[in-house]
Each structure stands twice: as C-alpha cells, then as structure tokens.
Amino acid sequence: MISYLPLKQITASFEPQITDAVRRVVERGWFLLGEECATFESEYATYIGSRHCVACGNGYDALWLILRAYRQMGVLKDGDEVLVPANTFIASVLAITNNNLVPVFVEPDAATYLVGERELRAAVTPRCKAYMMVHLYGQCAYSDAIGDFCRERGIKIIEDNAQAHGCLYAGERRTGSLGDAAGHSFYPGKNLGSLGDAGAVTTDDDALAEAISSLHNYGSSQKYVHSHVGVNSRMDEIQSAVLRVKLRRLDEDNACRRAIAGRYIAEINNPSVRLPRVDDINAHVFHIFPLMCGERDRLQQHLSSSGIQAQIHYPLPPHKQQCYSQWNSLLFPVAERLSAEELSLPLHPLLTDEEVTEIINAVNCF
C-alpha cells in the first residue's frame, strides 16, 4: 500500500537529529518558555521574513489570538465582519466566530480554488474589517491587487498559512509575511510538522506581537501579573526543538514536493479528472495535491484497490456544518462542488519515482 502520508517513516528520516534534540530538552530539564522556544521563534521569524514570531499551542489558536489581540487593541469589535473563503478548513471560521465576529464567506475561483480580487470585491460589505486569506493546499493566495484593495478599504489581511510553510510570492517574499499578521499550524501532517500540536503567529506589528505575547500566556506581562484576560496556548520546548530540526530541511522537502507535483501535472491524462491550475509552480509548496472528479468516491475506491491511499479535503464546507446551522441555507456552488469532487493524491518527500509512476498510471486507467 502506498500510504497517503507515512508519518512514522517521515519522522525517522530526521534521525538521529530529532532524538538528539529531544534528549537535549530532557537533560536540560526546562520544558516551557525556555531557550528552545525562543530560538525557534527567532529562527522562524527570520525564515518567514517577519520581525516577530510568537509560538503558541496550535494553528487555530494562532488565528484566534490575532483576532483577539485586534479586538483588545480596538481594531475590531463585536459584530465586525471578516471575509473568509467558503472552501476552507473550519478552523479559519471558528477563529472568527469564537471572537464574536461575523464570517462573510467568499466563493473561490473554480480553476485555482483560491479567492481572487474579483471574488473579494463581489463579497465585501461596509462592515468588513479583515480578510482571512487562506493559502489553501500550499498555494499562495496573495496578489498585489488584493493587497492594494484591502489597504484602500482599511481591511486587515490575516494569513492562514497552515498549509503553506515556505511558499514564495513573486519569487521573493514568503507567505506569512505578506499581510498584517499570519497564523501557522505545525500539526504533524504539515510540510513543517511537529510531534504534536503546535502553532505560531508572525507579524511586523510591534503592538500586535506584544499583545499576543501576553494573551497566549494567561494575559501576563510578568509572572503572576495579568493585565488581560488571556489563555494558555504555549508551544513546549520539545516541539520547539523538533521544529528547529525540521526547519533546516523545509526548502529541500518543498522542492521534492514540487517535483512530484510537476510529474502529476505533466503525466496525468484522464478526461474524468481535473487537475489544479498552477500558474507558478514555485508559488506552491503542495501540502495537498487535489484532483477533482465527478465520481470522486469511485475514484478513491479504484485507487485503494490499486494499493494507493487517497484522502478527501474537505467533504463538507464550513457553511454546511451542523455547528453553523444558521448558514446551512447559504449557497456557494463552487465551494460545494469542490467539496463533493476533491480527492488528494499522496505527495510527500519520501515518495519514490516508481511509486509516483504507479499513482499516475492508476489515475490514468480509471
């Protein structure tokens, strides 16, 4: 069986460095808010190209903390609207609603699966104060036109960079440094994955970084002194040490992903499936390689019978989830079609050329 993502083998490919890093933390005996976390924050901020990085518990917390800090700073208030793609993972939306803000769902482009300037302009209202930009599947969703539009309207750009670690815009700037702030997830299956939950916020905004640094640690500015109503959302020293190891190989691993995706794009030829439109392969890190197929479930079964594990991202869009029943009647045909047709092929740095050929042949003979 060709596994969708063999985490055990991927983790083993970083040995003995991971074991050495964990041992270093254990032997030091300091497990929270220590040297490893501070060093990772510095290294990751430099890598992304931002002045600040604040590590936290997970990717959802990172997005929630950004919005909560903006509320604390008076930039946002109850009832303000936040633009968000209709075809994102639910964490993007939960961060909005759990801050007493209102999501405004935006249809994606049917070819790129991303929100463009045209879609954004069509959805914006006078109450929109922020845009949750999602670099879905690892593809950069930013454009100069979107940046200019948001600045003209005074709309904060919050990047959901959970799937796009290392992605470049225009060959220069990394996602996570393009907007006003960015949330990052280091869930184990990500391109830069920890051994558990972990996340971070990057920003150039000094005041925002200071507010988040307090909020994520019980709202404290110093031990036992709490200026704000905060939460406990901290990255531990072991995850920080592991991520420092993995960060050094991120660009190399992303290059492997692009090479495999390039083969998929060039060699898959089946009228029953639609390939993603990729205008600039270097502006993509292919966290996910999505195929679209009107007979998605039958294709998934066909691949499984061929010894290939494929997964679905995501079978139900946020506005159709039971927890958001108040929006179940909304219609977003593009997002809903993507949810009904998307199937993700295996794509990770340990795939062999022979396995990639086997996957391509299996798709082509469907």
Side-chain angles (χ1 to χ4, degrees), residues 68-351:
R68 180 66 184 87
Y70 274 140
R71 291 192 58 205
Q72 181 174 290
M73 295 163 64
V75 175
L76 298 174
K77 63 182 185 303
D78 281 6
D80 282 346
E81 294 178 344
V82 180
L83 296 150
V84 63
N87 62 321
T88 187
F89 180 58
I90 199 168
S92 311
V93 185
L94 287 171
I96 297 168
T97 59
N98 285 343
N99 270 293
N100 293 325
L101 303 169
V102 180
V104 174
F105 298 105
V106 187
E107 276 274 58
D109 178 88
T112 66
Y113 320 142
L114 301 177
V115 170
E117 181 204 5
R118 177 174 57 85
E119 292 82 14
L120 208 62
R121 285 185 179 274
V124 72
T125 77
R127 294 181 61 85
C128 288
K129 303 299 182 184
Y131 168 37
M132 182 77 74
M133 174 184 289
V134 181
H135 302 298
L136 192 68
Y137 305 145
Q139 185 173 10
C140 180
Y142 182 85
S143 69
D144 287 341
I146 289 176
D148 291 343
F149 171 72
C150 288
R151 281 188 289 272
E152 289 166 5
R153 299 291 295 260
I155 294 173
K156 294 290 186 183
I157 296 177
I158 300 164
E159 297 174 74
D160 183 338
N161 200 50
Q163 299 185 0
H165 314 109
C167 184
L168 286 169
Y169 173 64
E172 296 177 353
R173 300 166 60 198
R174 295 194 190 277
T175 56
S177 69
L178 304 172
D180 296 282
H184 307 255
S185 168
F186 305 120
Y187 182 78
K190 305 297 187 183
N191 290 30
L192 179 62
S194 59
L195 300 186
D197 272 327
V201 173
T202 54
T203 184
D204 284 341
D205 186 328
D206 297 343
L208 182 68
E210 183 178 356
I212 292 171
S213 294
S214 171
L215 283 169
H216 87 122
N217 188 29
Y218 298 108
S220 65
S221 52
Q222 63 186 79
K223 196 168 185 178
Y224 302 133
V225 177
H226 304 270
S227 306
H228 311 289
V229 178
V231 295
N232 177 12
S233 179
R234 302 175 299 203
M235 184 192 296
D236 66 64
E237 289 288 279
I238 287 178
Q239 303 307 334
S240 303
V242 169
L243 288 169
R244 291 184 62 204
V245 170
K246 289 191 166 187
L247 180 59
R248 299 179 197 122
R249 209 178 80 186
L250 179 57
D251 288 342
E252 178 185 341
D253 284 351
N254 283 341
C256 290
R257 288 175 175 272
R258 279 191 289 270
I260 294 167
R263 285 198 60 193
Y264 285 159
I265 292 168
E267 299 176 40
I268 290 177
N269 183 16
N270 185 328
S272 297
V273 304
R274 298 193 315 279
L275 296 169
R277 194 188 87 192
V278 179
D279 297 325
D280 180 3
I281 200 166
N282 292 313
H284 208 316
V285 293
F286 294 98
H287 172 61
I288 291 169
F289 189 93
L291 289 181
M292 300 296 161
C293 180
E295 297 182 273
R296 186 260 311 283
D297 294 345
R298 197 164 71 84
L299 173 59
Q300 186 179 33
Q301 181 56 49
H302 164 76
L303 293 175
S304 179
S305 299
S306 302
I308 298 163
Q309 185 183 44
Q311 293 191 358
I312 297 171
H313 297 90
Y314 302 97
L316 202 62
H319 70 281
K320 294 296 185 183
Q321 298 286 349
Q322 183 179 351
C323 64
Y324 288 136
S325 59
Q326 68 269 38
W327 294 310
N328 285 175
S329 61
L330 296 178
L331 296 177
F332 295 97
V334 176
E336 290 161 27
R337 182 183 179 191
L338 296 178
S339 291
E341 297 186 351
E342 195 277 341
L343 187 66
S344 306
L345 294 182
L347 202 167
H348 57 81
L350 298 189
L351 277 175

